[in-house]
Amino acid sequence: MAFEIVVIGTSLGGLSALKILLGNLPADFLVPIAIVQHRHKESNNTLQELLQEYTSLPIREVEDKDEILPGHIYLAPADYHLLVEPGHFALSTDEPVSYARPSIDVLFESAADVYSQQVIGVILTGANQDGMQGLKKIKSLGGLTIVQEPATAESEVMPEAAISAVAVDWILTLSNIASQMVKLCHSSRK
C-alpha cells in the first residue's frame, strides 16, 4: 500500500527540527509532505527560503487549490488553516484551533479524512497540545504515527501530549524520523 501524504506538525523549535528532518531526506523522496509550523500571522516567506537551503526537494507555501504533487514539500501559509482534499489543498480562515491558525489538528484530520491509512502523521517539538487530536484521528483511521522523542525536542509539551493521547507507532529522534519515513515510503512504492 502506497502512502499518499506525510503531514508534519511543529511549533516552538520547529525551524531547527525541520532543518534536520528535511535535510535527512533523499532527493528521490516522492511522497508529498505538508507542514504546519506555528508562526506569527505577519510572518513572510522566509521559512520557505530557510528550509530550502537544507533540501533539494522543492518547497512552496500553499496557495488555495494547489495540486498535491509527488516529491514536493508544502508549507501552510501564516494565518491560514491548511486542509487536504482529494488531490489538492484548500486554505481556510476559520477560527483558530488550539489557539493556532494554521492548526496542526486541522491539517491532520483533513488528511486522515481523505487518505485514511495512506497517511503518515509526524509531531515534532512544540509548546502546546495542537496536533494531539489530529494524530489520534490518523491512528484511528489506520494511518501511521511518529512523534519526536520528547527528550530531544526544544519543547517537550507537544510530543508528550501526542504520546499521552495516542498509541504512537514510533518515538524517534529527528534523523531517525527521516530514515523511518524513507523506509516506509520506499517499501510502499515497490
Side-chain angles (χ1 to χ4, degrees):
M1 181 203 62
F3 289 100
E4 291 294 333
I5 196 162
V6 176
V7 288
I8 298 175
T10 185
S11 183
L12 182 70
L15 178 61
S16 45
L18 288 167
K19 284 177 184 175
I20 295 168
L21 196 162
L22 300 177
N24 278 289
L25 292 176
D28 64 351
F29 189 84
L30 289 179
V31 179
I33 299 172
I35 299 171
V36 165
Q37 157 76 61
H38 290 165
R39 50 192 171 142
H40 193 272
K41 63 174 182 271
E42 304 300 323
S43 79
N44 54 18
N45 63 355
T46 50
L47 180 63
Q48 175 185 344
E49 292 163 11
L50 288 168
L51 291 175
Q52 190 65 74
E53 293 173 31
Y54 292 87
T55 177
S56 55
L57 296 165
I59 300 180
R60 59 174 297 158
E61 214 167 80
V62 174
E63 292 179 21
D64 197 39
K65 303 302 179 216
D66 267 355
E67 188 182 355
I68 301 174
L69 298 170
H72 285 64
I73 298 170
Y74 298 94
L75 298 175
D79 209 29
Y80 286 91
H81 290 310
L82 177 59
L83 292 95
V84 173
E85 295 185 343
H88 66 272
F89 292 108
L91 297 177
S92 129
T93 52
D94 290 347
E95 287 302 301
V97 176
S98 299
Y99 309 104
R101 186 173 67 207
S103 156
I104 298 165
D105 282 334
V106 169
L107 170 64
F108 281 27
E109 288 171 6
S110 66
D113 284 337
V114 174
Y115 294 120
S116 57
Q117 77 270 29
Q118 295 172 293
V119 177
I120 299 172
V122 182
I123 294 284
L124 305 177
T125 175
N128 71 6
Q129 314 251 316
D130 190 19
M132 182 173 81
Q133 297 304 328
L135 204 67
K136 197 184 281 186
K137 181 156 195 182
I138 289 172
K139 180 76 179 176
S140 72
L141 292 177
L144 295 178
T145 54
I146 303 174
V147 175
Q148 182 179 355
E149 167 59 63
T152 69
E154 196 168 313
S155 174
E156 301 174 12
V157 179
M158 196 181 281
E160 284 178 348
I163 290 166
S164 70
V166 183
V168 296
D169 296 297
W170 293 277
I171 300 169
L172 301 167
T173 62
L174 291 168
S175 54
N176 288 342
I177 290 174
S179 54
Q180 186 64 41
M181 283 168 50
V182 170
K183 258 186 256 170
L184 292 167
C185 294
H186 279 307
S187 63
S188 75
R189 293 262 174 226
K190 287 182 178 144

